[in-house]
Amino acid sequence: MRKTALFLAAMMVLASSLTGCGGKTTTGENTQNSSTNEQAAQGGDGKTYDIVYLSPSTASQFWTYVGIGIENAKKDLEESKGIKINFSTVGPAQEAQTEDYITAFEQCIAKKPAAIVTATLAIDATIPKAAEATNNGIVLNFVNCGLGVGDDGANADTYNQFYYCSNDTIGEMAAEAFVNAAKEKNITSGVVGVNMNVENEALNHRIQSFRDYMAKNAPEFELTDTYYNGNVVETAQSNAENVISTYGDKLVGMYSGNNITGDGVCLAVASAGIGSKIVSVAVDSDDSEIEALKAGNLNAIIVQDAYAQGYKCMENAILTLLEGKNPESKKQINCPPVVINSENMASEEMQDLLDPTRLKK
């Protein structure tokens, strides 16, 4: 099979290389599975591939944004490479349904697609499935949430490529944005509520790096224990209301580690009418957070480029199939986030980051 893939790659006229975060590679070849070869034979002049986007949450706006990048890459490469892709999206409705995610992964492997593009919030349970997919010749790419924190290169032998945004960077940027906003509001000390969706090896870095930055650069602020909400908006709101009632006037800020958490915190802040009195910083954008930013109930959002991560992940999977090897020189590519606040949110670039549906083809 390896010889077959290399032979097919040698017969192709190579077009433009992968752009953005990476470049060419000399290692990490991936072979095509038998079903891919059959699809290519049936495709006539152009090849046909089955590719699945296995989402950890079909209801999440963030993963929908990733999906827009994936689908745009599909359309662009179908046109530029003269191929056809049978594309489908599967996965549980909610991120918390990790058992359903693993079941969906197993079902994907059984169908033997040419490639799977996915993200996981259940690292330990996903590792053996990833190895199974790769061992069966499926090109497996992870986007945003992979089999480690990204920076560590964990379990790299079980997948083809991983595009992510460093959670350490996210936490540090969130803390820096918090300190800057506090200075603008003349807030010099007090209690900061810390909120997160789930306890996860990778996501915990968003919390710890926030704490580390604050301890070093703003030790006058006292951080609460982390309030986890199971990725449920109502629970996030209840947690935030508890923090607000517990600390009263001592409370000067909130940190929300993801968009669902941010939604709940923003609702609590708006209900309490304390948006102008505290600093609130969240991670990842959705409609509720954008409205909160406009209304003054949120001071900054640390926004990952979900669209670009999805696009690059799909583009890489397709090029790996076409070229018979991974075109990236590194298996883990960090795509840094940006800080969006009321001052820059109106620009076209920031609007595209906040709402990637604007980019959908």
Side-chain angles (χ1 to χ4, degrees), residues 70-355:
I70 289 172
E71 293 195 51
N72 278 6
K74 163 196 172 292
K75 293 175 182 177
D76 287 348
L77 270 77
E78 280 183 320
E79 181 178 353
S80 65
K81 302 296 184 182
I83 59 175
K84 177 173 175 53
I85 296 171
N86 296 321
F87 177 76
S88 59
T89 299
V90 300
Q94 304 297 334
E95 288 182 348
Q97 297 173 275
T98 53
E99 291 184 4
D100 292 338
Y101 169 84
I102 296 301
T103 298
F105 206 149
E106 293 170 346
Q107 293 170 345
C108 286
I109 295 172
K111 293 180 179 179
K112 298 182 179 179
I116 298 173
V117 176
T118 190
T120 182
L121 295 175
I123 295 175
D124 291 342
T126 303
I127 292 171
K129 304 306 173 186
E132 181 181 352
T134 298
N135 290 338
N136 277 278
I138 298 171
V139 173
L140 177 63
N141 280 6
F142 282 92
V143 56
N144 193 261
C145 294
L147 302 181
V149 300
D151 312 290
D152 59 357
N155 304 293
D157 59 333
T158 63
Y159 61 88
N160 179 65
Q161 185 63 41
F162 179 28
Y163 292 95
Y164 71 103
C165 182
S166 169
N167 286 303
D168 287 329
T169 302
I170 290 172
E172 291 169 0
M173 289 180 69
E176 183 179 15
F178 184 97
V179 171
N180 290 337
K183 288 180 181 177
E184 291 178 3
K185 290 190 173 186
N186 294 317
I187 298 174
T188 58
S189 63
V191 176
V192 180
V194 180
N195 309 273
M196 192 57 184
N197 59 337
V198 294
E199 192 165 2
N200 171 284
E201 179 186 350
L203 295 180
N204 284 347
H205 282 247
R206 293 187 190 180
I207 299 298
Q208 192 57 50
S209 58
F210 181 88
R211 292 184 183 279
D212 291 344
Y213 184 97
M214 294 294 289
K216 180 179 180 180
N217 298 282
E220 59 274 15
F221 291 96
E222 176 189 348
L223 276 57
T224 69
D225 291 338
T226 304
Y227 288 74
Y228 292 100
N229 56 65
N231 220 49
V232 177
V233 173
E234 292 77 11
T235 306
Q237 181 177 356
S238 177
N239 286 346
E241 290 170 344
N242 184 27
V243 172
I244 292 170
S245 64
T246 298
Y247 294 97
D249 292 339
K250 293 181 180 179
L251 183 71
V252 297
M254 291 281 201
Y255 170 50
S256 305
N258 82 324
N259 62 309
I260 299 298
T261 303
D263 293 345
V265 170
C266 288
L267 287 171
V269 170
S271 178
I274 59 173
S276 62
K277 300 177 181 178
I278 71 167
V279 172
S280 185
V281 175
V283 176
D284 297 334
S285 67
D286 60 24
D287 292 343
S288 296
E289 287 182 319
I290 294 170
E291 289 304 313
L293 194 60
K294 293 177 181 177
N297 293 314
L298 188 61
N299 296 98
I301 310 176
I302 313 305
V303 180
Q304 306 179 67
D305 195 338
Y307 173 89
Q309 290 179 53
Y311 191 102
K312 293 175 186 299
C313 199
M314 182 65 156
E315 184 181 40
N316 175 272
I318 295 170
L319 291 178
T320 298
L321 290 168
L322 289 173
E323 299 179 14
K325 63 180 182 180
N326 186 346
E328 287 283 20
S329 59
K330 293 175 59 179
K331 274 203 170 187
Q332 299 84 24
I333 303 295
N334 181 19
C335 304
V338 298
V339 178
I340 298 181
N341 53 36
S342 59
E343 295 178 0
N344 65 8
M345 69 179 297
S347 72
E348 184 174 353
E349 180 183 2
M350 296 303 137
Q351 285 294 308
D352 289 343
L353 282 169
L354 285 168
D355 182 14

Side-chain angles (χ1 to χ4, degrees), residues 15-30:
S16 60
S17 64
L18 183 63
T19 61
C21 291
K24 290 288 183 179
T25 187
T26 56
T27 61
E29 295 180 358
N30 285 79

